[in-house]
Amino acid sequence: MTATRWLAEYAWLPGEAEPTPDVLVETVHDRITGVTPLTPGGRPDAGVEVLADAVRLPGLTLPGLANAHSHAFHRALRGRTHAGRGDFWSWRDQMYAVAGRLHPDSYLTLARAVYAEMALAGITCVGEFHYLHHGPGGSRYADPNAMGAALVEAAAQAGIRLTLLDTCYLTASVDGRPLVGPQQRFGDGDALRWAERLDAFTPDGGHARLGAAIHSVRAVPAAQLATVANWAHRRDAPLHVHLSEQPAENDACRAVHGCTPTRLLAEHGVLGRATTAVHATHPTSADVGLLGDSRTGVCLCPTTERELADGIGPARRMADAGIPLSLGSDSHAVIDPFEEARAVELDERLRTRRRGHFTPAELLTAASSAGHAALGWTDAGRIAVGDRADLVTVRLDSVRTAGVTPAGVWFAASTADVAQVVVDGQVLVRDGRHVRVDVAQELVTAITEVTRA
């Protein structure tokens, strides 16, 4: 078994408000077997030879970061949807156009490049909110899970872990209008047939696991919500759901069901510790109470929420209610967990016109252990004995981070400052370059194919 000793100039250890200097991290195969903060100055009194074989990690070493909400194919839209005015709904039409062009092979190529881009950003695990299931017009592939299998293989080739959040998507609106056009590729007919398709799928490789998702109250009729939730509960699998992303969703739900989307989910057994609500941008005070009382998590996606003009959610109020917060890059307007994390604090400042809502340690938790937990990987996201050997080292000498205290990386660093990434004990990014994938070239190739008229 491969054993490695890593000497971190600084490492952010669990429960610490700030990084600890000079930490020896020992790994065997895919696990952390030792974490030793050294004496002041970073060298034991009894001999430097003890550290002679250690791999130096200059800068700040963080645990692996988790992207709890991804739509991989949305990456093809980056920088292409800004002409003229519009909102989420006009953006969605352009997204459907890309969805209509994908097939299993092209999706594998695109997703591999996107997941490799995530690796460059320090992301070691991704939750893929996957609803692009079938062929044009809704026709099934010979393997009904071919698109999901492509995503699993893409993550394997990119070198990161994946929770495939297979998404039930049945209707086009809260009042049950049928799927049309590219949306037909998303549907299984009803929740029972969705569950049957998913039961027939076992992801290849230990890097991937299955979870479930309810697209939204727009896309799954109320009478079928419990079917999806029960599938996840039986499997002890994570369950995710888009929630209150736009005020229009809340208004439509009240018009049809006489309650908010959060209340509807609560009434049908969807909320709970294994559930993560994505966005939760426009909850009522009662909604926040329901989420907090049930310990349902919330995944914030700040760069997408502002890119789509969705609004700013009440992050601090949700955290104070006991809601675990995680982070996602969603539409991949950018893939930068440092930007997502600091946006939680900075957007709250805009909303309240006050500073100082989240500590750097809280932002780290949202970007790491809370995200992994939301995806069902409770043994990741901490530099701790027994956890997965995921280490993300950030430079402290770039033009962005020079002179910054180590804890200040959340307000200064970008993905360009990620120097090395170790996933399950294996170096995946070295000197800022992916060791397997020419990421920029593969993105160009894949996006050109799916956006060509």
Side-chain angles (χ1 to χ4, degrees):
M1 302 181 81
T2 303
T4 308
R5 292 150 59 83
W6 312 87
L7 180 57
E9 181 181 3
Y10 292 92
W12 212 320
L13 304 182
E16 297 296 327
E18 294 188 352
T20 300
D22 301 306
V23 177
L24 182 66
V25 181
E26 298 170 278
T27 64
V28 175
H29 190 43
D30 64 346
R31 296 288 161 173
I32 296 173
T33 57
V35 179
T36 307
L38 304 179
T39 58
R43 299 293 181 267
D45 295 336
V48 177
E49 69 276 2
V50 176
L51 304 175
D53 65 342
V55 179
R56 263 60 175 182
L57 298 176
L60 170 63
T61 296
L62 303 170
L65 306 179
N67 185 348
H69 190 67
S70 162
H71 302 292
F73 74 91
H74 292 189
R75 173 62 178 83
L77 296 170
R78 183 186 295 176
R80 295 172 176 267
T81 63
H82 303 284
R85 295 181 180 272
D87 56 12
F88 168 84
W89 308 101
S90 57
W91 170 88
R92 190 177 70 162
D93 291 339
Q94 298 175 76
M95 179 266 287
Y96 285 161
V98 171
R101 298 187 184 109
L102 284 162
H103 53 76
D105 289 342
S106 62
Y107 205 7
L108 191 158
T109 300
L110 176 59
R112 178 178 61 229
V114 175
Y115 295 156
E117 182 182 359
M118 292 182 193
L120 291 176
I123 292 164
T124 59
C125 184
V126 60
E128 183 62 37
F129 201 98
H130 169 55
Y131 53 81
L132 184 53
H133 301 305
H134 305 300
S139 60
R140 293 201 166 198
Y141 293 106
D143 173 5
N145 289 295
M147 295 293 265
L151 292 165
V152 170
E153 178 60 21
Q157 293 182 19
I160 68 173
R161 293 188 301 275
L162 170 81
T163 297
L164 187 71
L165 298 162
D166 195 289
T167 304
C168 188
Y169 195 134
L170 306 173
T171 57
S173 61
V174 178
D175 59 4
R177 289 196 298 269
L179 302 177
V180 296
Q183 290 179 325
Q184 293 173 298
R185 301 189 66 177
F186 309 159
D188 287 294
D190 58 43
L192 287 175
R193 279 179 280 184
W194 166 85
E196 289 171 358
R197 176 180 55 75
L198 195 51
D199 281 335
F201 183 44
T202 301
D204 290 334
H207 73 291
R209 58 184 54 176
L210 277 180
I214 293 164
H215 180 272
S216 60
V217 298
R218 299 193 311 272
V220 178
Q224 299 187 56
L225 292 170
T227 299
V228 183
N230 289 338
W231 186 95
H233 297 158
R234 287 195 307 271
R235 295 291 195 97
D236 194 24
L239 173 64
H240 288 218
V241 54
H242 287 139
L243 180 65
S244 293
E245 186 174 359
Q246 303 87 24
E249 176 185 314
N250 292 350
D251 294 343
C253 191
R254 288 190 182 96
V256 173
H257 298 293
C259 63
T260 67
T262 304
R263 173 65 67 180
L264 187 69
L265 295 178
E267 291 175 353
H268 290 273
V270 175
L271 303 185
R273 292 181 183 273
T275 300
T276 297
V278 181
H279 302 303
T281 309
H282 301 283
T284 65
S285 295
D287 291 341
V288 172
L290 287 170
L291 294 170
D293 290 345
S294 61
R295 292 301 183 263
T296 299
V298 166
C299 178
L300 303 170
C301 305
T303 64
T304 291
E305 288 150 11
R306 70 189 182 209
E307 203 272 340
L308 297 180
D310 284 340
I312 299 170
R316 185 69 257 173
R317 185 152 53 93
M318 291 192 289
D320 289 342
I323 298 169
L325 300 182
S326 55
L327 300 173
S329 62
D330 193 0
S331 70
H332 315 310
V334 298
I335 295 176
D336 187 335
F338 302 97
E339 176 64 21
E340 303 292 351
R342 63 174 158 262
V344 175
E345 166 66 23
L346 298 181
D347 287 356
E348 191 77 356
R349 293 180 187 184
L350 285 176
R351 196 176 64 81
T352 64
R353 299 193 298 277
R354 289 187 294 105
R355 293 164 53 89
H357 300 274
F358 291 89
T359 67
E362 287 178 302
L363 299 180
L364 170 63
T365 296
S368 56
S369 58
H372 282 98
L375 299 176
W377 302 87
T378 55
D379 58 350
R382 294 171 299 271
I383 301 177
V385 172
D387 272 25
R388 290 179 174 270
D390 297 348
L391 303 171
V392 176
T393 302
V394 182
R395 292 177 57 188
L396 295 177
D397 61 354
S398 76
V399 294
R400 289 162 295 278
T401 60
V404 173
T405 62
V409 296
W410 294 109
F411 294 93
S414 76
T415 58
D417 301 309
V418 175
Q420 179 163 296
V421 178
V422 175
V423 181
D424 285 335
Q426 301 296 312
V427 175
L428 187 63
V429 173
R430 181 182 287 114
D431 297 327
R433 298 181 65 85
H434 200 289
V435 301
R436 302 181 189 174
V437 179
D438 183 343
V439 181
Q441 184 55 57
E442 290 208 9
L443 284 168
V444 169
T445 300
I447 293 171
T448 298
E449 178 178 350
V450 300
T451 57
R452 189 166 41 212

